[in-house]
Amino acid sequence: MTNVTPFEAEKLRAFRAVQAAVQGLPATDVVEVLTEQLREITAAMQEGFPDLASTVLRDRTPGRLSSIEKDPEIETFILKQSPLLGYEGLREACIKEFGKARAPSRGSIHRYIQKLKCRTKGDRK
């Protein structure tokens, strides 16, 4: 059995309290709640420790944006299409709508759809 310091025990209690508070919420809501809490903590810390708050608790993006996410028109178009089209079908629809130069590759579409699936996996019950 390992020795747990009082500080570690307190962190574990806080972690479990947060887990219990957000249990049952969709993943997107959990992220929203935790982001807002971090903003409040950051704002409070900026008064006493402005350098620490701005470097440690700044907003972070979850990875790079894909070429599809950088182009809201293409992203909206893809999201409105039937999931029955498949990756190649989505690519062909994008070529018809936006032209070959602007249309995302089949691989880009695949990575984007996989990213969406990962984001929404926690929302399903």
Side-chain angles (χ1 to χ4, degrees), residues 65-72 74-75 104-105 108-109 111:
L65 291 179
S66 69
S67 60
I68 294 170
E69 292 169 305
K70 289 178 185 176
D71 190 331
I74 289 177
E75 183 174 28
S105 68
S108 293
I109 293 170
R111 285 188 300 275

Side-chain angles (χ1 to χ4, degrees), residues 3-125:
N3 291 334
V4 177
T5 67
F7 180 70
E8 290 169 334
E10 187 60 33
K11 283 194 320 186
L12 185 58
R13 278 192 290 280
F15 176 75
R16 288 185 178 144
V18 169
Q19 275 186 317
V22 297
Q23 187 174 14
L25 291 177
T28 53
D29 290 348
V30 171
V31 170
E32 201 173 303
V33 167
L34 296 176
T35 300
E36 186 57 36
Q37 288 298 309
L38 281 174
R39 283 192 182 116
E40 287 182 21
I41 291 167
T42 302
M45 286 185 70
Q46 283 176 338
E47 293 177 19
F49 305 99
D51 294 334
L52 178 65
S54 64
T55 58
V56 176
L57 295 174
R58 67 180 179 266
D59 288 338
R60 289 179 169 80
T61 56
R64 282 188 321 159
L65 291 179
S66 69
S67 60
I68 294 170
E69 292 169 305
K70 289 178 185 176
D71 190 331
E73 191 177 4
I74 289 177
E75 183 174 28
T76 302
F77 179 79
I78 288 173
L79 291 173
K80 288 182 179 178
Q81 300 307 305
S82 168
L84 300 176
L85 283 177
Y87 303 125
E88 193 59 42
L90 283 172
R91 164 102 172 121
E92 289 171 12
C94 286
I95 290 172
K96 285 179 188 172
E97 184 72 20
F98 303 105
K100 193 170 186 173
R102 189 172 166 205
S105 68
R106 183 192 175 286
S108 293
I109 293 170
H110 178 264
R111 285 188 300 275
Y112 174 72
I113 300 297
Q114 292 304 311
K115 195 174 188 181
L116 287 178
K117 286 179 181 178
C118 287
R119 284 184 193 157
T120 59
K121 192 178 278 186
D123 293 346
R124 289 187 238 138
K125 290 282 176 178

